[in-house]
Amino acid sequence: MKPVVLLVPGMLNDARVWDDVAAGLHDEAEVRVADVCTQADIAGMARDALALLSDVDPARSVVPVGFSMGGYVTIALLAARPSRWHAAVLLATSCLPETPEGAAGRDAAVAAFRADFEGTCRGVARRGLASKDPALHERLLAMMRDVGMETAIRQTLAIRERADHRAALGALALPVWVACGELDRIVPPAMSEALAAAIPGARLERIADAGHMLPIERPQAVVDLVRQALAHGP
């Protein structure tokens, strides 16, 4: 029986952010994608993501893969159920709690979304992609528009109030891959380095010429990391 890969989207993303990654994993895993667009907090996103696995035999291997905000959700899953997972992959994310400066930035982001949602999304796309390919930018923007302003605000506030799971990460006894784009301006590589340092034995991968949007910009690199996690022995 195939293992299960649980893909957790980031902020302003839906399942489409994983389209290329899911296609690349089709032959070796059953892929399920969490919905993180309706909940009020990270804990609720993690609860609903875990519910997607309610029909999966406990003996079956499951690898959660979290991107950006989805990384916060995946970290919450790892903290809550550390024995459930075969391995994990954390992409362009952080384990650091919100700082006062960060909280102020989230409040400013909420105001920007309300004042000019389209313009703010365009700014996020410019910061999130290292590539200048117009088709890639439009693909990202189309998804953001569909996710919508109210969800963006709800997710921003959820991120602001995220829990600190560093102690639980320090007690993990499973293989974890942490990856960052070397040109990431949203979650700078230093944050991924701190995340990898917080998890015993974590492997840190720096992806050259890539920004924040790894599942869209470098899907094959993400597929390769997930394959490594799937292939890791029990």
Side-chain angles (χ1 to χ4, degrees):
M1 186 176 295
K2 288 181 179 180
V4 175
V5 172
L6 176 64
L7 302 175
V8 189
M11 181 180 158
L12 272 169
N13 303 161
D14 57 24
R16 286 172 287 181
V17 75
W18 294 112
D19 281 354
D20 297 335
V21 173
L25 294 170
H26 179 267
D27 290 341
E28 53 237 280
E30 178 188 341
V31 175
R32 303 187 182 191
V33 182
D35 179 357
V36 294
C37 290
T38 62
Q39 304 86 353
D41 52 30
I42 300 295
M45 297 175 196
R47 179 196 63 235
D48 291 350
L50 190 61
L52 281 180
L53 306 173
S54 61
D55 63 331
V56 177
D57 190 299
R60 195 172 171 193
S61 293
V62 182
V63 174
V65 183
F67 164 60
S68 194
M69 182 192 73
Y72 300 141
V73 177
T74 301
I75 287 169
L77 289 170
L78 297 177
R81 297 281 299 275
S83 64
R84 179 64 186 97
W85 319 108
H86 176 75
V89 181
L90 299 169
L91 306 171
T93 193
S94 169
C95 64
L96 301 177
E98 194 71 280
T99 63
E101 296 79 10
R106 306 290 177 197
D107 292 340
V110 168
F113 282 131
R114 288 195 169 119
D116 182 5
F117 181 65
E118 174 70 17
T120 303
C121 287
R122 288 186 177 277
V124 171
R126 284 193 298 270
R127 290 185 66 219
L129 290 164
S131 170
K132 304 302 182 186
D133 180 356
L136 208 58
H137 280 254
E138 186 52 41
R139 176 182 169 191
L140 178 56
L141 282 167
M143 179 172 60
M144 290 177 170
R145 291 184 193 111
D146 288 348
V147 170
M149 182 184 70
E150 293 303 325
T151 296
I153 291 170
R154 186 164 53 248
Q155 290 176 334
T156 300
L157 297 177
I159 292 170
R160 188 186 66 184
E161 302 302 322
R162 67 188 183 274
D164 184 351
H165 292 300
R166 285 177 291 178
L169 291 178
L172 286 179
L174 74 156
V176 177
W177 279 258
V178 176
C180 61
E182 288 188 343
L183 303 177
D184 192 336
R185 293 187 291 169
I186 292 177
V187 179
M191 291 186 175
S192 292
E193 293 166 5
L195 174 57
I199 302 172
R203 299 151 176 81
L204 176 63
E205 300 284 344
R206 297 174 178 84
I207 300 175
D209 300 319
H212 183 67
M213 295 300 303
L214 294 177
I216 287 179
E217 199 164 30
R218 289 303 178 88
Q220 189 56 52
V222 175
V223 168
D224 291 344
L225 288 174
V226 178
R227 284 175 174 161
Q228 290 179 49
L230 289 169
H232 197 280

